[in-house]
């Protein structure tokens, strides 16, 4: 057989779980590199940043991605869900995705770069008294973006990029993995104009983010049945035209959901009303209306009122590094699923300004809350969408709105992602109690070992493992540290110790490039 | 901070034995008053550090218990500053008892105690993470599990 290197995925390749070099090289050009991270978002950045700081060179690492900057996808989702650059994000001062130490924190840096004494003191005062005398301090999205850019430059991010879409990862006969991807036009690293390239590596890290958006089933059904994709929108998708339309004519908007994204959408709608002349009435439909603190024990009770369950972050803070983290590490199966559920679930941070705004809306009559189970969603009169709801007393109520914003979920099944579906089918990977990729405490994907190679996963695809906050800045950084430790114990790189840590931190402080 | 009980105790002992003791050794000579001797100041300040460590194990048990009533199971950094006062008071009383007959000067004791506390606190909210990059993920443990 001749080697055509056209990049064709032959049926034989597709059907063979573990590939030999010979089989692959029949049709695919091969690029060699020790460590590959798939995704190129913040999860890849966290992993690569740590490995670089721990001593790996840019030549040791390749990042296969469709985006240019690591915050690109995050930013897109954030802006769609109404977190513009000047807004404050959810996570805290020491969840510094551009700095593995969490020091100096975003608050300290905000203080250092602020102009005027009052502006310098404000963020420091805030972190000093949080969350006792004030809500948690959180950085602006803009600060996160600019510092991520700086860190990416510092570690030579661009030198490590392979631009393109990954199709699959397969194990290799003799150890390690093949990552097959379609290079972006004109960016084939082999310069042969091939359709696909196989990257042969010892280790692989998968951080592909969210498999896709998910609509509530009743809204999904409405969209499909009535081919109406403009009145029922998902908060994570671009829906700016909705806000434009709202400023043109008095309208009613229904918001579904009561998590952080719902809070963001409410802020946008009510800000538009209060500051930008929109005459919008907001109907907020709750499935579970929280009236009082949740939990049956004084030692396990979450703040809740006005419909919302409140906590600073997706999980209680100690899930990232305290006693709750240790507790979760010791659990498996349903016990783990259950605890993650009770620590997380639908919740939003308490912010005084948001509370006040909702209160004004309730008083003024332009923010109205309803609780109930949706029976059906159908076209209403005058281009509205009508939602039929059974309330708590069993009565049926009809709610009409010009738009419905679904702010309930970003999580679809991992099998909707091609690479992950392939891993489940051919790679030996399995699912955890929450249905995501099953990983070890080290974030190695169970069942995919290809000695001496190892495959890891972090981000939302690994939610349900031993670490609740895996889909967060700090969680991605924790995963990075565990992955590094695991790799170092397998002889790949040297474990980051105190001496190197201090030295590299000092390099970071001076913003010197990592060699 | 999101400490575990073991982590709290380890961090306290580690920081007092390094930063706390180091600072104490450095500043004690400056605190000598006209009629006093360096030896006596050292006796006072080092006893204070020692007692802060020993009583601290008990205090940490209490803090850990209080932490159970916080949903976040965290320990706000404000708390770790404020508790300097009850803790300092207990150490002050104990020092008065130990040095019964020639009580240590009020200012010497409190200057030393509060400056040491602040320094330890400052290291705990930042620099310790540089020295021990895994510390913040393991509930403040110095010795890894
Ligand atoms: C709106 C929003 C706000 C958030 N706010 C916070 C916050 O305040 N604090 C916090 O700690 N966390 C927050 N998170 C959670 C989390 O930290 C971020 O989503 C983070 O970006 C996750 O990083 P990731 O690498 O897993 O995914 P991403 O950053 O989304 O990166 C994954 C990348 O993989 C790419 N990819 C997917 N498939 C392929 C393929 N086949 N080939 C090549 N590339 C592929 C995607 O295009 C994407 O660019 C937020 C999440 C969202 C959605």
């Amino acid at each position: 057989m001749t080697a055509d290197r056209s990049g064709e995925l032959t049926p034989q390749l597709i059907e063979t779980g573990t590939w030999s070099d010979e089989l692959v090289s029949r049709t695919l050009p091969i690029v060699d590199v020790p460590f590959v991270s798939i995704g190129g978002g913040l999860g890849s950045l966290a992993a690569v940043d740590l490995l670089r700081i721990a001593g790996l060179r840019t030549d040791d690492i390749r990042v296969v991605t469709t985006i240019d900057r690591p915050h690109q996808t995050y930013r897109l989702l954030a802006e769609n869900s109404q977190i513009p650059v000047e807004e404050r994000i959810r996570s805290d001062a020491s969840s510094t995705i551009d700095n593995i130490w969490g020091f100096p924190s975003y608050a300290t840096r905000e203080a250092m770069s602020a102009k005027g004494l009052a502006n310098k003191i404000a963020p420091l005062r805030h972190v000093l008294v949080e969350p006792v005398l004030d809500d948690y301090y959180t950085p602006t999205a803009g600060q996160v973006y600019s510092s991520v850019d700086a860190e990416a430059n510092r570690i030579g991010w661009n030198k490590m990029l392979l631009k393109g879409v990954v199709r699959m990862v397969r194990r290799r006969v003799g150890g390690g993995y093949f990552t097959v991807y379609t290079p972006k036009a004109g960016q084939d690293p082999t310069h042969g104009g091939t359709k696909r390239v196989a990257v042969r590596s010892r280790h692989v890290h998968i951080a592909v983010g969210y498999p896709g958006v998910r609509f509530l089933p009743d809204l999904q059904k409405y969209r499909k049945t009535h081919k109406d994709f403009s009145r029922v929108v998902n908060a994570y998708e671009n829906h700016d035209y909705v806000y434009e339309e709202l400023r043109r004519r008095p309208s009613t908007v229904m918001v579904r959901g009561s998590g952080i994204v719902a809070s963001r959408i409410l802020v946008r709608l009510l800000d538009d009303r209060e500051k930008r002349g929109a005459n919008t009435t907001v109907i907020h439909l709750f499935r579970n209306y929280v009236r009082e603190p949740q939990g049956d024990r004084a030692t396990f009770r979450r703040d809740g009122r006005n419909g919302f369950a409140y906590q600073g972050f997706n999980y209680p803070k100690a899930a990232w590094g305290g006693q709750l983290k240790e507790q979760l590490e010791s659990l498996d199966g349903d016990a783990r699923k259950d605890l993650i559920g009770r620590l997380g679930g639908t919740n939003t941070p308490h912010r005084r300004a948001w509370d006040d705004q909702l209160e004004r809306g309730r008083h003024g009559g332009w923010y109205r809350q309803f609780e109930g189970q949706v029976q059906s969603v159908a076209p209403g009169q005058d281009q509205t969408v009508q939602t039929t709801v059974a309330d708590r007393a069993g009565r049926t109520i009809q709610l009409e709105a010009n738009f419905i914003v679904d702010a309930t979920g970003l999580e679809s099944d991992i099998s909707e992602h091609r690479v992950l579906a392939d891993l489940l089918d051919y790679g030996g990977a399995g699912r955890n109690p929450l249905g995501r990729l099953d990983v070890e405490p080290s974030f190695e994907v169970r069942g995919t070992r290809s000695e001496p190679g190892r495959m890891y996963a972090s981000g939302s695809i690994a939610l349900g493992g031993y670490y609740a906050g895996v889909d967060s800045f700090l969680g991605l950084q924790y995963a990075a540290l565990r992955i590094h430790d695991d790799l170092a114990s397998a002889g790949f790189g040297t474990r980051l110790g105190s001496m190197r840590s201090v030295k590299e931190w000092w390099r970071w402080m001076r913003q010197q490039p990592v060699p | 901070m999101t400490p575990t009980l073991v982590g709290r105790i380890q961090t306290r002992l580690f920081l007092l034995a390094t930063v706390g003791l180091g600072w104490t050794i450095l500043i004690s000579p400056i605190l000598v008053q006209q009629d006093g001797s360096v030896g006596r100041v050292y006796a006072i300040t080092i006893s204070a550090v020692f007692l802060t460590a020993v009583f601290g194990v008990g205090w940490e048990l209490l803090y850990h218990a209080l932490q159970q009533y916080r949903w976040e199971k965290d320990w706000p950094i404000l708390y770790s500053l404020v508790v300097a006062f009850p803790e300092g008071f207990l150490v002050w009383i104990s020092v008065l008892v130990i040095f019964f007959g020639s009580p240590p000067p009020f200012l010497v004791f409190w200057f030393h105690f509060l400056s040491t506390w602040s320094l330890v606190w400052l290291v705990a909210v930042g620099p310790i993470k540089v020295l021990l990059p895994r510390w913040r993920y393991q509930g403040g443990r110095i010795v890894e599990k």
Side-chain angles (χ1 to χ4, degrees), chain B residues 27-64:
Chain B
I27 63 145
S28 292
I30 304 166
L31 298 177
V32 180
Q33 293 184 317
Q34 273 163 356
D35 50 351
S37 71
V38 185
R40 183 171 140 79
V41 174
Y42 270 127
I44 295 165
T45 56
I46 290 180
S47 317
V49 172
F50 181 74
L51 291 174
T52 310
V54 175
F55 294 158
V57 176
W59 284 109
E60 296 295 4
L61 282 169
L62 173 71
Y63 303 156
H64 180 74

Side-chain angles (χ1 to χ4, degrees), chain A residues 39 41-43 67 73-74 81 90-91 166 208-210 417 471-473:
Chain A
L42 295 179
I67 56 178
T73 301
Y74 173 82
S81 59
R90 186 167 192 184
S91 53
V166 174
V208 290
Y210 304 96
H417 194 285
D471 181 31
S472 67
F473 297 173

Side-chain angles (χ1 to χ4, degrees), chain A residues 37-46 64-83 88-92 95 97 138-139 144 162-168 180-181 205-211 235-236 260-261 264 313-314 320 351 410-411 417-420 458-461 469-476:
Chain A
S37 181
I38 301 171
L42 295 179
S44 291
L45 176 75
V64 196
T65 179
T66 53
I67 56 178
D68 294 316
R69 310 304 297 164
H71 53 64
Q72 208 163 314
T73 301
Y74 173 82
R75 183 169 181 164
L76 180 76
L77 291 170
E79 291 183 352
N80 284 347
S81 59
Q82 305 305 311
I83 313 171
R88 293 193 179 268
I89 64 165
R90 186 167 192 184
S91 53
D92 71 350
S95 293
I97 187 74
T138 75
V144 172
L162 291 176
K163 295 296 292 293
V165 182
V166 174
R167 168 69 177 79
M168 59 184 42
V180 177
Y181 83 103
H205 167 236
I206 305 181
V208 290
Y210 304 96
Y236 289 105
I260 172 85
V261 182
R264 301 278 187 194
F313 317 104
N314 313 24
W320 275 268
R351 303 224 172 134
L410 189 55
E411 319 284 336
H417 194 285
R418 248 178 152 186
V419 175
L420 306 179
S458 56
S460 90
I461 57 171
V470 64
D471 181 31
S472 67
F473 297 173
L474 193 56
L476 294 169

Side-chain angles (χ1 to χ4, degrees), chain A residues 247-269:
Chain A
R247 278 159 71 179
R248 276 198 292 271
R249 73 193 61 157
S251 317
T252 301
V253 177
M254 174 185 280
V255 176
R256 305 266 307 261
S258 54
I260 172 85
V261 182
S263 295
R264 301 278 187 194
I265 301 293
L266 292 173
V267 169
R268 172 69 199 259
L269 291 169

